[in-house]
Amino acid sequence: MRFEIHILSSGTGSPTVIHNQTSQLLIVGRYHFLIDCGEATQFQLVKYGYSYMKVSHIFISHLHADHYTGLIGLLNTYNLNHRTAGLHIFAPEGMEEIIQVQLRLSAVSLRYPLHFHLTNTDEESQLLELKELSVTTFPLKHRLPVTAFVFREKERPPGIRKEMASALSPEACQAFKKKQDFRDEQGSLMKWADYTQPAPSPRSYAFVTDTVYLPEIASLLKNIDILYHEATFGDDMAEHAAEAAHSTTTEAALLAKAAGVKKLLIGHFSNRYTDLQPLLFQSRQIFPETYLATEGSSFHIPYNR
Amino acid sequence: MRFEIHILSSGTGSPTVIHNQTSQLLIVGRYHFLIDCGEATQFQLVKYGYSYMKVSHIFISHLHADHYTGLIGLLNTYNLNHRTAGLHIFAPEGMEEIIQVQLRLSAVSLRYPLHFHLTNTDEESQLLELKELSVTTFPLKHRLPVTAFVFREKERPPGIRKEMASALSPEACQAFKKKQDFRDEQGSLMKWADYTQPAPSPRSYAFVTDTVYLPEIASLLKNIDILYHEATFGDDMAEHAAEAAHSTTTEAALLAKAAGVKKLLIGHFSNRYTDLQPLLFQSRQIFPETYLATEGSSFHIPYNR
């Protein structure tokens, strides 16, 4: 099953020739999740060749323009392309009003069901429960209400060991997959652990954007495979970062270290940085497994048995 | 004085790798006018190296997403860049509501004055009167109220002929520039036409987007230097064009011919056309001075004496 993070764009509000505004595509199995949708997200999706029609759930962290203004265009494009599949949007209060006022004034009537879900910007909460994974959200701290999103695969049942599968009854297999022992017709006990191999560990991704440094969220990010954390500024601008309610490269790395994540992606780079290598260097001093979330880059999480 | 049309983007709603959504920059002397502002207009302005901070007036033809959704991002960027100069937006009813709801929900308070002006979508009317030029608007016909914009330089006073300038009194020069004859101290009559050369002809540009073919507007476009007219479809799609309330290459050319314009630019190309040459060919069969308004192309109107 795929578990891939695709960086569509990674800049801030002001346009540059290098960066567009925040947006990421997370593909987990058959699901295509869009995380934030800054201006021109639909162009980035097309530019990198993604199947943008497949997006079923869109997660918006907060209502600063560089994180949501691409949404109305994408919704219109879905309409032009005769989408019929429902679309779920998770966002703070206000997103629905912004979209509805535009649809009304453009006299657009959507051909597909659009479902808005409010994110809880006050406390950690469950957002979405699917067969394969769950999505939770928790508040960050910025100039507007903003939340992080955490995507966690569910624990899967152990697999029947291939060399034994043909000799087992369907009833035995069913029990073993539930981690239950099974007594056969002769009355002898078959232990599930003997006939199975552990399922791969559930994989996880966390998206943390536009926030001051919050050391206390490390406990909510324990053992995450990949953490995206904004690092709008380098250490040279630490004071300004605090004023602007953003984080630095070092702060992102400190959090990744405290949470014990496997990999850190930094992004949301201020347009003053044309060379990103110093930013990467700063983070790696503290957390060596740091990578730049630059436009067009992809990070796959393989199964870990 | 500069009179330049810069095509920022020329596509329709659906994103492609070739086109962005409609936007043009018209530079007349010291004025930078933005005409329509589809998604990602601010990125196009940066990509082509224009001084986007200089834009003082923005003209929005109608409220379909591909013509206005770049506006909120641009307004935010002006704020981030500490703009203080006022900005005028000319648009149909609804544009102000769309912007204000987003500024309110993003908790953005602008550092610069923003002035909205309603376009009259019912009849031809004057929109803007400046020292050097005037802008008028008139209704087109599409699925939403939409207007065209016509930019016309004003007639300028005749110039004093260089070889004679030094021998003339300031009073004589003043009279001649008003096309008045002047009687000198000796009582002899100096005829203004003998001492002046005609000013260059006023230049003009018309922007006609998203409309069914309207032969009757030719009279409003008489002798325009450059006419931009949408040609969303080629002749192969004439029936569909009428249904979708758009124009074809041939219709744009027929209008240019009837109006007697000097040059025709066609754009707003449907994303089904990856090769635009057949579209150009169709228009040129009727109106040879047709050009493609493709991204990044510029059209200068020189002085015509």
Tab-separated table of all heavy atoms in Angstrom, chain B residues 142-187:
chain	number	residue	atom	x	y	z
B	142	HIS	N	-22.614	36.794	-21.596
B	142	HIS	CA	-22.074	35.506	-21.169
B	142	HIS	C	-23.033	34.924	-20.141
B	142	HIS	O	-24.146	35.423	-19.980
B	142	HIS	CB	-20.669	35.761	-20.587
B	142	HIS	CG	-19.854	34.531	-20.365
B	142	HIS	ND1	-19.654	33.559	-21.321
B	142	HIS	CD2	-19.155	34.106	-19.273
B	142	HIS	CE1	-18.881	32.609	-20.826
B	142	HIS	NE2	-18.566	32.914	-19.587
B	143	ARG	N	-22.592	33.933	-19.394
B	143	ARG	CA	-23.493	33.291	-18.423
B	143	ARG	C	-23.621	34.105	-17.133
B	143	ARG	O	-24.435	33.787	-16.271
B	143	ARG	CB	-23.007	31.872	-18.145
B	143	ARG	CG	-22.945	31.006	-19.431
B	143	ARG	CD	-22.728	29.539	-19.136
B	143	ARG	NE	-21.588	29.302	-18.277
B	143	ARG	CZ	-20.325	29.206	-18.695
B	143	ARG	NH1	-20.035	29.304	-19.973
B	143	ARG	NH2	-19.355	29.000	-17.838
B	144	LEU	N	-22.798	35.117	-17.014
B	144	LEU	CA	-22.836	36.058	-15.881
B	144	LEU	C	-22.704	37.461	-16.459
B	144	LEU	O	-22.184	37.621	-17.563
B	144	LEU	CB	-21.603	35.850	-14.990
B	144	LEU	CG	-21.584	34.846	-13.858
B	144	LEU	CD1	-20.305	35.022	-13.072
B	144	LEU	CD2	-22.781	34.978	-12.950
B	145	PRO	N	-23.107	38.498	-15.714
B	145	PRO	CA	-22.845	39.855	-16.194
B	145	PRO	C	-21.345	40.051	-16.419
B	145	PRO	O	-20.539	39.721	-15.550
B	145	PRO	CB	-23.348	40.736	-15.040
B	145	PRO	CG	-24.358	39.893	-14.336
B	145	PRO	CD	-23.871	38.486	-14.466
B	146	VAL	N	-20.995	40.595	-17.578
B	146	VAL	CA	-19.578	40.750	-17.940
B	146	VAL	C	-19.442	41.998	-18.795
B	146	VAL	O	-20.353	42.325	-19.568
B	146	VAL	CB	-19.056	39.486	-18.674
B	146	VAL	CG1	-19.963	39.076	-19.811
B	146	VAL	CG2	-17.632	39.664	-19.182
B	147	THR	N	-18.331	42.695	-18.638
B	147	THR	CA	-18.124	43.884	-19.470
B	147	THR	C	-16.758	43.865	-20.140
B	147	THR	O	-15.831	43.203	-19.684
B	147	THR	CB	-18.225	45.200	-18.653
B	147	THR	OG1	-17.086	45.310	-17.801
B	147	THR	CG2	-19.501	45.266	-17.829
B	148	ALA	N	-16.698	44.617	-21.239
B	148	ALA	CA	-15.430	44.869	-21.931
B	148	ALA	C	-14.810	46.135	-21.361
B	148	ALA	O	-15.506	46.943	-20.722
B	148	ALA	CB	-15.690	45.051	-23.417
B	149	PHE	N	-13.512	46.317	-21.576
B	149	PHE	CA	-12.840	47.545	-21.162
B	149	PHE	C	-12.122	48.150	-22.366
B	149	PHE	O	-11.449	47.429	-23.104
B	149	PHE	CB	-11.822	47.261	-20.052
B	149	PHE	CG	-12.454	46.665	-18.813
B	149	PHE	CD1	-12.207	45.341	-18.455
B	149	PHE	CD2	-13.313	47.423	-18.023
B	149	PHE	CE1	-12.804	44.784	-17.321
B	149	PHE	CE2	-13.915	46.875	-16.884
B	149	PHE	CZ	-13.658	45.554	-16.537
B	150	VAL	N	-12.274	49.462	-22.521
B	150	VAL	CA	-11.613	50.152	-23.633
B	150	VAL	C	-10.758	51.282	-23.063
B	150	VAL	O	-11.264	52.126	-22.309
B	150	VAL	CB	-12.632	50.727	-24.630
B	150	VAL	CG1	-11.905	51.367	-25.810
B	150	VAL	CG2	-13.577	49.628	-25.114
B	151	PHE	N	-9.486	51.233	-23.386
B	151	PHE	CA	-8.532	52.220	-22.889
B	151	PHE	C	-8.138	53.112	-24.067
B	151	PHE	O	-7.593	52.625	-25.060
B	151	PHE	CB	-7.281	51.523	-22.343
B	151	PHE	CG	-7.582	50.549	-21.231
B	151	PHE	CD1	-8.066	49.272	-21.517
B	151	PHE	CD2	-7.404	50.904	-19.909
B	151	PHE	CE1	-8.360	48.371	-20.502
B	151	PHE	CE2	-7.689	50.008	-18.888
B	151	PHE	CZ	-8.174	48.746	-19.187
B	152	ARG	N	-8.401	54.416	-23.938
B	152	ARG	CA	-8.077	55.323	-25.042
B	152	ARG	C	-7.238	56.490	-24.531
B	152	ARG	O	-7.657	57.208	-23.615
B	152	ARG	CB	-9.362	55.907	-25.650
B	152	ARG	CG	-10.207	54.928	-26.426
B	152	ARG	CD	-11.426	55.634	-27.027
B	152	ARG	NE	-12.405	54.699	-27.543
B	152	ARG	CZ	-12.385	54.181	-28.767
B	152	ARG	NH1	-11.439	54.540	-29.624
B	152	ARG	NH2	-13.330	53.326	-29.147
B	153	GLU	N	-6.091	56.657	-25.155
B	153	GLU	CA	-5.289	57.845	-24.870
B	153	GLU	C	-6.069	59.080	-25.283
B	153	GLU	O	-6.851	59.029	-26.247
B	153	GLU	CB	-4.001	57.823	-25.704
B	153	GLU	CG	-2.812	57.265	-24.999
B	153	GLU	CD	-1.542	57.469	-25.826
B	153	GLU	OE1	-1.627	57.476	-27.083
B	153	GLU	OE2	-0.480	57.591	-25.229
B	154	LYS	N	-5.818	60.192	-24.596
B	154	LYS	CA	-6.477	61.426	-24.999
B	154	LYS	C	-5.690	62.114	-26.108
B	154	LYS	O	-4.476	61.924	-26.231
B	154	LYS	CB	-6.594	62.346	-23.791
B	154	LYS	CG	-7.579	61.787	-22.789
B	154	LYS	CD	-7.914	62.798	-21.747
B	154	LYS	CE	-8.927	62.183	-20.798
B	154	LYS	NZ	-9.026	62.949	-19.565
B	155	GLU	N	-6.410	62.907	-26.858
B	155	GLU	CA	-5.788	63.749	-27.898
B	155	GLU	C	-4.759	64.640	-27.204
B	155	GLU	O	-5.024	65.190	-26.133
B	155	GLU	CB	-6.891	64.605	-28.516
B	155	GLU	CG	-6.519	65.354	-29.751
B	155	GLU	CD	-6.839	64.538	-31.011
B	155	GLU	OE1	-7.901	63.858	-31.056
B	155	GLU	OE2	-6.006	64.582	-31.945
B	156	ARG	N	-3.574	64.762	-27.779
B	156	ARG	CA	-2.572	65.616	-27.140
B	156	ARG	C	-2.366	66.888	-27.970
B	156	ARG	O	-2.639	66.893	-29.175
B	156	ARG	CB	-1.261	64.855	-26.988
B	156	ARG	CG	-1.499	63.607	-26.109
B	156	ARG	CD	-0.250	63.118	-25.474
B	156	ARG	NE	0.694	62.650	-26.466
B	156	ARG	CZ	1.969	62.432	-26.196
B	156	ARG	NH1	2.448	62.681	-24.987
B	156	ARG	NH2	2.780	61.976	-27.129
B	157	PRO	N	-1.904	67.973	-27.345
B	157	PRO	CA	-1.702	69.220	-28.097
B	157	PRO	C	-0.616	69.030	-29.150
B	157	PRO	O	0.272	68.187	-28.991
B	157	PRO	CB	-1.259	70.216	-27.024
B	157	PRO	CG	-0.743	69.384	-25.900
B	157	PRO	CD	-1.476	68.083	-25.956
B	158	PRO	N	-0.658	69.820	-30.232
B	158	PRO	CA	0.405	69.723	-31.246
B	158	PRO	C	1.740	70.133	-30.625
B	158	PRO	O	1.774	70.897	-29.664
B	158	PRO	CB	-0.040	70.721	-32.312
B	158	PRO	CG	-0.975	71.663	-31.619
B	158	PRO	CD	-1.633	70.877	-30.520
B	159	GLY	N	2.844	69.632	-31.177
B	159	GLY	CA	4.168	69.980	-30.656
B	159	GLY	C	4.753	71.152	-31.433
B	159	GLY	O	4.544	71.275	-32.646
B	160	ILE	N	5.474	72.023	-30.728
B	160	ILE	CA	6.172	73.126	-31.403
B	160	ILE	C	7.331	72.524	-32.199
B	160	ILE	O	8.067	71.687	-31.690
B	160	ILE	CB	6.736	74.128	-30.361
B	160	ILE	CG1	5.631	74.621	-29.405
B	160	ILE	CG2	7.450	75.300	-31.056
B	160	ILE	CD1	4.508	75.403	-30.053
B	161	ARG	N	7.466	72.944	-33.454
B	161	ARG	CA	8.536	72.380	-34.288
B	161	ARG	C	9.892	72.815	-33.733
B	161	ARG	O	10.138	74.000	-33.480
B	161	ARG	CB	8.362	72.825	-35.742
B	161	ARG	CG	7.122	72.155	-36.355
B	161	ARG	CD	6.726	72.767	-37.649
B	161	ARG	NE	7.734	72.575	-38.687
B	161	ARG	CZ	7.588	72.957	-39.950
B	161	ARG	NH1	6.449	73.550	-40.328
B	161	ARG	NH2	8.534	72.758	-40.827
B	162	LYS	N	10.748	71.829	-33.533
B	162	LYS	CA	12.008	72.052	-32.817
B	162	LYS	C	12.828	73.200	-33.372
B	162	LYS	O	13.363	74.019	-32.631
B	162	LYS	CB	12.851	70.772	-32.851
B	162	LYS	CG	12.531	69.849	-31.678
B	162	LYS	CD	13.491	68.671	-31.636
B	162	LYS	CE	12.972	67.653	-30.633
B	162	LYS	NZ	13.308	66.286	-31.022
B	163	GLU	N	12.922	73.266	-34.699
B	163	GLU	CA	13.802	74.264	-35.330
B	163	GLU	C	13.268	75.686	-35.127
B	163	GLU	O	14.001	76.657	-35.320
B	163	GLU	CB	14.005	73.955	-36.829
B	163	GLU	CG	12.765	74.108	-37.713
B	163	GLU	CD	11.852	72.881	-37.723
B	163	GLU	OE1	11.927	72.072	-36.773
B	163	GLU	OE2	11.058	72.741	-38.672
B	164	MET	N	12.025	75.811	-34.693
B	164	MET	CA	11.432	77.138	-34.512
B	164	MET	C	11.298	77.519	-33.039
B	164	MET	O	11.064	78.679	-32.709
B	164	MET	CB	10.037	77.167	-35.136
B	164	MET	CG	10.078	76.973	-36.645
B	164	MET	SD	8.426	76.806	-37.317
B	164	MET	CE	8.789	76.979	-39.081
B	165	ALA	N	11.424	76.511	-32.172
B	165	ALA	CA	11.093	76.712	-30.760
B	165	ALA	C	11.866	77.862	-30.129
B	165	ALA	O	11.288	78.707	-29.427
B	165	ALA	CB	11.345	75.424	-29.984
B	166	SER	N	13.168	77.968	-30.414
B	166	SER	CA	14.003	78.954	-29.717
B	166	SER	C	13.618	80.397	-30.092
B	166	SER	O	13.818	81.317	-29.309
B	166	SER	CB	15.476	78.703	-30.029
B	166	SER	OG	15.672	78.812	-31.423
B	167	ALA	N	13.027	80.580	-31.273
B	167	ALA	CA	12.689	81.940	-31.721
B	167	ALA	C	11.312	82.397	-31.242
B	167	ALA	O	10.905	83.518	-31.490
B	167	ALA	CB	12.746	81.986	-33.254
B	168	LEU	N	10.583	81.513	-30.547
B	168	LEU	CA	9.204	81.845	-30.157
B	168	LEU	C	9.103	82.292	-28.702
B	168	LEU	O	9.804	81.766	-27.833
B	168	LEU	CB	8.289	80.629	-30.366
B	168	LEU	CG	8.081	80.194	-31.824
B	168	LEU	CD1	7.318	78.872	-31.874
B	168	LEU	CD2	7.331	81.275	-32.615
B	169	SER	N	8.200	83.237	-28.449
B	169	SER	CA	7.951	83.656	-27.068
B	169	SER	C	7.127	82.590	-26.367
B	169	SER	O	6.388	81.844	-27.023
B	169	SER	CB	7.181	84.974	-27.056
B	169	SER	OG	5.865	84.756	-27.546
B	170	PRO	N	7.202	82.516	-25.042
B	170	PRO	CA	6.378	81.552	-24.293
B	170	PRO	C	4.896	81.747	-24.582
B	170	PRO	O	4.143	80.771	-24.667
B	170	PRO	CB	6.681	81.875	-22.830
B	170	PRO	CG	8.008	82.570	-22.842
B	170	PRO	CD	8.092	83.289	-24.156
B	171	GLU	N	4.454	83.004	-24.769
B	171	GLU	CA	3.029	83.264	-25.030
B	171	GLU	C	2.610	82.661	-26.377
B	171	GLU	O	1.525	82.088	-26.492
B	171	GLU	CB	2.731	84.777	-25.045
B	171	GLU	CG	2.905	85.451	-23.692
B	171	GLU	CD	4.372	85.697	-23.310
B	171	GLU	OE1	5.248	85.650	-24.220
B	171	GLU	OE2	4.661	85.883	-22.117
B	172	ALA	N	3.485	82.787	-27.354
B	172	ALA	CA	3.187	82.222	-28.676
B	172	ALA	C	3.069	80.701	-28.575
B	172	ALA	O	2.122	80.093	-29.093
B	172	ALA	CB	4.274	82.610	-29.675
B	173	CYS	N	4.022	80.102	-27.884
B	173	CYS	CA	4.003	78.630	-27.732
B	173	CYS	C	2.710	78.165	-27.086
B	173	CYS	O	2.084	77.195	-27.535
B	173	CYS	CB	5.179	78.167	-26.885
B	173	CYS	SG	6.754	78.297	-27.744
B	174	GLN	N	2.308	78.898	-26.029
B	174	GLN	CA	1.103	78.541	-25.300
B	174	GLN	C	-0.129	78.564	-26.227
B	174	GLN	O	-0.959	77.661	-26.195
B	174	GLN	CB	0.898	79.537	-24.169
B	174	GLN	CG	0.411	78.912	-22.889
B	174	GLN	CD	0.534	79.879	-21.720
B	174	GLN	OE1	1.053	80.990	-21.856
B	174	GLN	NE2	0.043	79.450	-20.572
B	175	ALA	N	-0.205	79.616	-27.023
B	175	ALA	CA	-1.323	79.745	-27.961
B	175	ALA	C	-1.303	78.600	-28.976
B	175	ALA	O	-2.330	77.957	-29.228
B	175	ALA	CB	-1.242	81.091	-28.673
B	176	PHE	N	-0.153	78.340	-29.560
B	176	PHE	CA	-0.038	77.321	-30.616
B	176	PHE	C	-0.454	75.941	-30.096
B	176	PHE	O	-1.071	75.155	-30.805
B	176	PHE	CB	1.390	77.268	-31.170
B	176	PHE	CG	1.813	78.530	-31.871
B	176	PHE	CD1	3.171	78.820	-32.073
B	176	PHE	CD2	0.866	79.448	-32.348
B	176	PHE	CE1	3.565	79.975	-32.722
B	176	PHE	CE2	1.267	80.617	-33.003
B	176	PHE	CZ	2.615	80.884	-33.176
B	177	LYS	N	-0.085	75.663	-28.825
B	177	LYS	CA	-0.430	74.350	-28.256
B	177	LYS	C	-1.937	74.193	-28.076
B	177	LYS	O	-2.447	73.080	-27.990
B	177	LYS	CB	0.281	74.152	-26.916
B	177	LYS	CG	1.770	73.871	-27.104
B	177	LYS	CD	2.414	73.367	-25.831
B	177	LYS	CE	3.782	72.798	-26.140
B	177	LYS	NZ	4.403	72.176	-24.970
B	178	LYS	N	-2.618	75.360	-27.985
B	178	LYS	CA	-4.094	75.303	-27.912
B	178	LYS	C	-4.707	75.407	-29.306
B	178	LYS	O	-5.903	75.665	-29.457
B	178	LYS	CB	-4.619	76.446	-27.042
B	178	LYS	CG	-4.247	76.330	-25.573
B	178	LYS	CD	-4.808	77.521	-24.789
B	178	LYS	CE	-4.235	77.567	-23.393
B	178	LYS	NZ	-4.327	78.928	-22.812
B	179	LYS	N	-3.868	75.326	-30.337
B	179	LYS	CA	-4.307	75.454	-31.727
B	179	LYS	C	-4.920	76.831	-31.999
B	179	LYS	O	-5.926	76.956	-32.695
B	179	LYS	CB	-5.308	74.337	-32.085
B	179	LYS	CG	-4.699	72.941	-32.017
B	179	LYS	CD	-5.650	71.899	-32.580
B	179	LYS	CE	-5.029	70.513	-32.509
B	179	LYS	NZ	-5.927	69.473	-32.990
B	180	GLN	N	-4.307	77.838	-31.369
B	180	GLN	CA	-4.747	79.212	-31.607
B	180	GLN	C	-3.628	79.970	-32.325
B	180	GLN	O	-2.444	79.789	-32.003
B	180	GLN	CB	-5.032	79.922	-30.269
B	180	GLN	CG	-6.238	79.354	-29.536
B	180	GLN	CD	-6.329	79.827	-28.093
B	180	GLN	OE1	-5.424	80.499	-27.582
B	180	GLN	NE2	-7.412	79.472	-27.431
B	181	ASP	N	-4.016	80.846	-33.263
B	181	ASP	CA	-3.030	81.705	-33.921
B	181	ASP	C	-2.598	82.772	-32.914
B	181	ASP	O	-3.254	82.992	-31.890
B	181	ASP	CB	-3.640	82.351	-35.161
B	181	ASP	CG	-4.022	81.287	-36.197
B	181	ASP	OD1	-3.423	80.169	-36.154
B	181	ASP	OD2	-4.929	81.547	-37.012
B	182	PHE	N	-1.477	83.466	-33.218
B	182	PHE	CA	-0.934	84.426	-32.249
B	182	PHE	C	-0.465	85.685	-32.991
B	182	PHE	O	0.188	85.588	-34.030
B	182	PHE	CB	0.248	83.777	-31.519
B	182	PHE	CG	0.859	84.641	-30.449
B	182	PHE	CD1	0.215	84.791	-29.207
B	182	PHE	CD2	2.066	85.310	-30.672
B	182	PHE	CE1	0.783	85.583	-28.213
B	182	PHE	CE2	2.623	86.101	-29.677
B	182	PHE	CZ	1.986	86.236	-28.443
B	183	ARG	N	-0.833	86.846	-32.443
B	183	ARG	CA	-0.415	88.101	-33.074
B	183	ARG	C	0.771	88.644	-32.289
B	183	ARG	O	0.691	88.841	-31.072
B	183	ARG	CB	-1.580	89.103	-33.058
B	183	ARG	CG	-1.436	90.213	-34.083
B	183	ARG	CD	-2.704	91.027	-34.233
B	183	ARG	NE	-3.797	90.322	-34.900
B	183	ARG	CZ	-3.954	90.231	-36.228
B	183	ARG	NH1	-3.076	90.794	-37.047
B	183	ARG	NH2	-4.975	89.582	-36.752
B	184	ASP	N	1.906	88.875	-32.978
B	184	ASP	CA	3.095	89.310	-32.225
B	184	ASP	C	3.076	90.820	-31.998
B	184	ASP	O	2.136	91.509	-32.387
B	184	ASP	CB	4.377	88.835	-32.934
B	184	ASP	CG	4.594	89.558	-34.252
B	184	ASP	OD1	3.861	90.538	-34.532
B	184	ASP	OD2	5.490	89.140	-35.007
B	185	GLU	N	4.140	91.338	-31.312
B	185	GLU	CA	4.180	92.751	-30.929
B	185	GLU	C	4.087	93.677	-32.133
B	185	GLU	O	3.570	94.783	-32.042
B	185	GLU	CB	5.467	93.030	-30.153
B	185	GLU	CG	5.413	92.387	-28.761
B	185	GLU	CD	6.715	92.574	-28.003
B	185	GLU	OE1	7.667	93.159	-28.562
B	185	GLU	OE2	6.765	92.128	-26.843
B	186	GLN	N	4.597	93.241	-33.274
B	186	GLN	CA	4.531	94.037	-34.492
B	186	GLN	C	3.155	93.951	-35.149
B	186	GLN	O	2.899	94.570	-36.171
B	186	GLN	CB	5.598	93.588	-35.511
B	186	GLN	CG	7.011	94.007	-35.124
B	186	GLN	CD	7.566	93.180	-33.986
B	186	GLN	OE1	7.382	91.986	-33.933
B	186	GLN	NE2	8.229	93.828	-33.029
B	187	GLY	N	2.283	93.142	-34.618
B	187	GLY	CA	0.920	93.046	-35.146
B	187	GLY	C	0.742	92.044	-36.263
B	187	GLY	O	-0.341	91.912	-36.827
